[in-house]
């Protein structure tokens, strides 16, 4: 397994994948778990629960400010019952506005406040990422991971390293299928895919001229 953390993580991971054709491309992944954990934390904070009470948030796309933190399919445990995050919060404007930008820009906000990057939370996210590859995801839960987009069911162009919701079993990931994508999500998912395609083009131009 090859896990890429250094930014631009998605495009660096794709470049590594292309540079090592003897390693199966499914063995490459990049870290979007830090964003995933941040999204869970924001929801938990808003509802006064712990992050462990929130599951199935999704980070779509690039580990950048175009990423799309999506809670359309997320659940939260409230008063012993599992409910949808949209139903629990009843604040669509926050979920479609401030929540998204907070998660997108959290890394920059930490650097601005500390004058250093978020080393410990990144380390925790790497541990989470590796643990789930090794031991699998719990039944009924999925996590976010940057993986090769080939053959995905969500209309993301092939040959990009894009973050999807995945389940993991026997050290093999599988993109979660059958999730409904509304127009709001579609637009956000396409925007981050466009950025990744542009990054890929720039990186490969540089590599071919090196």
């Amino acid at each position: 397994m090859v896990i890429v953390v250094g930014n631009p993580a998605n495009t660096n991971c794709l470049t590594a994948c292309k540079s090592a054709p003897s390693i199966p491309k499914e063995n490459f992944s990049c870290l979007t778990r830090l964003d995933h954990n941040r999204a869970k934390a924001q929801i938990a904070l808003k509802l006064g629960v712990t992050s462990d009470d929130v599951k199935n948030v999704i980070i779509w796309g690039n580990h950048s400010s175009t990423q799309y933190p999506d809670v359309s399919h997320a659940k939260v445990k409230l008063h012993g019952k599992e409910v949808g995050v949209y139903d629990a919060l009843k604040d669509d404007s926050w979920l479609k506005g401030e929540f998204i930008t907070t998660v997108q820009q959290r890394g920059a906000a930490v650097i601005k406040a500390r004058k250093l990057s978020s080393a410990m939370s990144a380390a925790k996210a790497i541990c989470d990422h590796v643990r789930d590859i090794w031991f699998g995801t719990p039944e009924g839960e999925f996590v976010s991971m940057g993986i090769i987009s080939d053959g995905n069911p969500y209309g993301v162009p092939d040959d990009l390293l894009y973050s999807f919701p995945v389940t993991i079993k026997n050290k093999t990931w599988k993109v979660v299928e059958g999730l409904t994508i509304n127009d709001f999500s579609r637009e956000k998912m396409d925007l981050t895919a466009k950025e990744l395609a542009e990054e890929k083009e720039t990186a490969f131009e540089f590599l071919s001229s090196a």
Side-chain angles (χ1 to χ4, degrees):
M1 286 289 174
V2 179
I3 299 158
V4 177
V5 178
N7 289 325
N10 299 59
T11 300
N12 281 348
C13 189
L14 183 65
T15 304
C17 178
K18 297 286 187 185
S19 303
S22 62
I23 301 174
K25 54 192 172 187
E26 293 78 19
N27 287 22
F28 288 84
S29 61
C30 80
L31 191 76
T32 54
R33 187 58 170 270
L34 178 53
D35 310 301
H36 180 100
N37 288 352
R38 285 168 172 163
K40 284 177 62 173
Q42 288 297 317
I43 298 299
L45 203 59
K46 194 83 168 168
L47 286 168
V49 298
T50 70
S51 285
D52 288 342
D53 291 324
V54 182
K55 70 176 188 181
N56 297 352
V57 304
I58 303 168
I59 302 296
W60 298 100
N62 200 2
H63 174 62
S64 76
S65 59
T66 67
Q67 65 176 264
Y68 171 42
D70 177 15
V71 292
S72 309
H73 310 280
K75 305 278 187 193
V76 60
K77 199 183 288 179
L78 272 183
H79 315 301
K81 283 185 0 187
E82 215 171 68
V83 292
V85 165
Y86 267 87
D87 293 334
L89 268 172
K90 296 181 174 61
D91 191 348
D92 290 17
S93 63
W94 183 79
L95 285 169
K96 290 183 172 181
E98 189 184 335
F99 163 71
I100 291 174
T101 53
T102 298
V103 177
Q104 286 173 334
Q105 296 165 15
R106 186 66 181 165
V110 170
I111 290 168
K112 189 177 177 185
R114 294 184 69 230
K115 309 293 183 280
L116 293 164
S117 66
S118 49
M120 188 58 79
S121 50
K124 165 74 165 63
I126 295 163
C127 291
D128 292 343
H129 183 111
V130 173
R131 183 196 63 226
D132 286 341
I133 289 174
W134 196 254
F135 294 109
T137 46
E139 192 66 37
E141 288 191 34
F142 48 79
V143 295
S144 305
M145 190 179 283
I147 53 169
I148 196 72
S149 61
D150 296 4
N152 74 86
Y154 294 108
V156 175
D158 286 352
D159 206 36
L160 294 177
L161 216 296
Y162 191 99
S163 182
F164 289 97
V166 299
T167 55
I168 304 165
K169 194 174 182 181
N170 300 325
K171 301 183 180 64
T172 303
W173 55 258
K174 184 176 186 297
V175 175
V176 176
E177 296 183 1
L179 298 175
T180 308
I181 306 297
N182 60 27
D183 291 345
F184 179 82
S185 294
R186 181 79 264 161
E187 187 181 336
K188 300 280 186 194
M189 289 164 68
D190 289 349
L191 184 71
T192 192
K194 181 173 179 284
E195 181 183 58
L196 281 169
E198 288 165 359
E199 278 188 19
K200 171 188 160 184
E201 190 180 340
T202 303
F204 288 13
E205 273 174 18
F206 179 78
L207 286 171
S208 63
S209 64

